[in-house]
Amino acid sequence: MRKFWIVTAFLLLIFSAVCAFTYGAIEPFGRNIIYVHVPTAVASLVFFAAVFVFSILYLAKRDLKWDLFAARAALTGFIFSILMNLTGIIFSQMEWNVWWTPSPRLVSSAILSFLYLAYILLRASAVSANKKAKLSAVFGIIAFADVPVVLITARFLPDIHQPNFSFENPWQHITLITAIIGVNILGFVFTFFRTRVKT
Amino acid sequence: MSSTLNTIKSVIKKDLLIELRALHGLSSIISLGLLIAFVFRLCCGQMDSNYISAAVILVSILFATVLICERSFAIEIENDSLSALLMAVEDSGDLYLAKLIVNTIILFVFEVVFFPCVFILFKLPIGINFFELVLIILLINVGTASIATIFAAMVQGANAGNTLLSILAMAAFLPMIIPATESLSGVFEGGGLKNLAGMLAAFDAIFVTISWLLFDFVVSD
């Protein structure tokens, strides 16, 4: 099962990469970075939501399996959020000639990364496994409650980020959607199949 | 309902008495707040701006909140008073509400001393609407204290708990920074509350409710 999902993810990502260099290529060439930036942004939000769901499941059922999944989802989401910020910085420099500026989406994504980081640090500091699981679950829920607040408050900042990227042909849509699905499946594999659950 | 109110009143009375007798928490946060304001004043040179003043006030409040909330649970660790408190209260959520109110009151006392100094140091206009200022400060206090109180209970007994509390609380405060700074600078400029005060109120409502609901999981074994 694990191999199937890994192969599927890599096939989708390879297909997306090939499209990004051929039919789905965006001019100028540097703009193709959105095929990494947007999928990692979507995946980081998906896995942040997963941490929230697993945290609630842990508190409801007190099964350490859910805590392990939450921990793995947080790590996966953190890696994706770092990738999102790095590609965002490069894209921002190319498009607007500025590395970082306090605009709504940039601030929101930076705050998300900090919340993931705090979650990971909390897990590293707790003393016993049960306490670690309980406290992490509480933080996972509170941190997710921050997300809508972040998205709303960030709108008060001046924005340089375009709301929608305009594509010129359907291949560009296909490339982006394939990359989003591929990246999310890859994250799904990291979250569920790297965890050895003892029942 | 009456037992809940009695519990909350008793814990508030106990904590305020402890604070008033020793004044350890208040004296340290007032000193820290004044030092932060002074450092900012020196760093800014001759530059005066309502936005900088709002930032200084917010940074001082955030640090003060972390210190106060950390102390509010640290005093319960000695002789395992927290376990006794939890046995005494009917619902652990009551204890959270009591601690939240105590921390908000102490923060407010800190601000009564801190604000005149900031007004002098940053040449803030005296003719501002003080009702609006008090309202915004109250909303900021409740929001920051609601998060820091539950995190302070969480980090008790953890490795490097104080450092961890600062990291967790600061990360969770981040969404509040934008509306808080904007509304504070708006009050200083005489621009009114705008709709940012409503956002702060929504933030407070969300985090007080979530923290109150989750507090039982934090303190139960």
Side-chain angles (χ1 to χ4, degrees), chain A residues 67-80:
Chain A
D67 175 58
L68 286 169
F69 286 149
R72 193 63 74 188
L75 190 61
T76 312
F78 180 65
I79 293 167
F80 283 140

Side-chain angles (χ1 to χ4, degrees), chain A residues 46-192:
Chain A
V46 166
F47 286 93
F48 211 21
V51 174
F52 173 69
V53 173
F54 293 142
S55 299
I56 290 178
L57 284 170
Y58 172 75
L59 289 180
K61 301 190 174 178
R62 295 297 172 117
D63 186 345
L64 280 174
K65 173 177 78 178
W66 300 116
D67 175 58
L68 286 169
F69 286 149
R72 193 63 74 188
L75 190 61
T76 312
F78 180 65
I79 293 167
F80 283 140
S81 74
I82 293 294
L83 278 174
M84 167 185 66
N85 281 309
L86 287 177
T87 50
I89 286 169
I90 297 166
F91 187 75
S92 168
Q93 175 62 24
M94 285 188 307
E95 285 287 308
W96 308 299
N97 208 25
V98 58
W99 291 107
W100 199 88
T101 180
S103 94
R105 293 192 197 194
L106 303 188
V107 168
S108 316
S109 53
I111 292 177
L112 270 184
S113 304
F114 279 121
L115 287 169
Y116 271 127
L117 183 65
Y119 180 92
I120 291 166
L121 286 173
L122 174 66
R123 294 197 68 85
S125 304
V127 272
S128 68
N130 281 326
K131 189 163 185 184
K132 183 197 290 182
K134 197 170 61 179
L135 300 186
S136 311
V138 170
F139 186 77
I141 293 169
I142 293 177
F144 192 73
D146 257 350
V147 174
V149 185
V150 171
L151 297 178
I152 295 166
T153 55
R155 287 190 312 173
F156 285 88
L157 295 166
D159 199 2
I160 59 165
H161 206 291
Q162 60 254 65
N164 291 306
F165 202 89
S166 52
F167 287 119
E168 290 153 4
N169 67 55
W171 275 104
Q172 293 174 339
H173 281 283
I174 294 168
T175 310
L176 184 64
I177 291 166
T178 319
I180 290 172
I181 297 170
V183 165
N184 277 286
I185 292 176
L186 202 62
F188 170 81
V189 172
F190 281 143
T191 304
F192 289 99

Side-chain angles (χ1 to χ4, degrees), chain A residues 59-60 62 107 110-111 114-115 117-119 121-127 131 134-139 141-143 145-150 152-157, chain B residues 51 147 150-151 153-160 164 167-169 171-176 178-179 182 195-196 199 203 206-207 210-211 214 216-221:
Chain A
L59 289 180
R62 295 297 172 117
V107 168
I111 292 177
F114 279 121
L115 287 169
L117 183 65
Y119 180 92
L121 286 173
L122 174 66
R123 294 197 68 85
S125 304
V127 272
K131 189 163 185 184
K134 197 170 61 179
L135 300 186
S136 311
V138 170
F139 186 77
I141 293 169
I142 293 177
D146 257 350
V147 174
V149 185
V150 171
I152 295 166
T153 55
R155 287 190 312 173
F156 285 88
L157 295 166
Chain B
Y51 221 89
I147 290 174
I150 191 166
F151 288 164
M154 278 167 65
V155 300
Q156 296 304 320
N159 299 328
L164 188 62
I167 295 169
L168 295 181
F173 289 154
L174 286 174
M176 208 182 164
I178 302 163
E182 291 277 347
N195 49 356
L196 290 157
M199 197 165 290
F203 183 94
I206 292 170
F207 285 99
I210 291 179
S211 306
L214 293 174
D216 189 45
F217 292 107
V218 173
V219 289
S220 64
D221 285 323

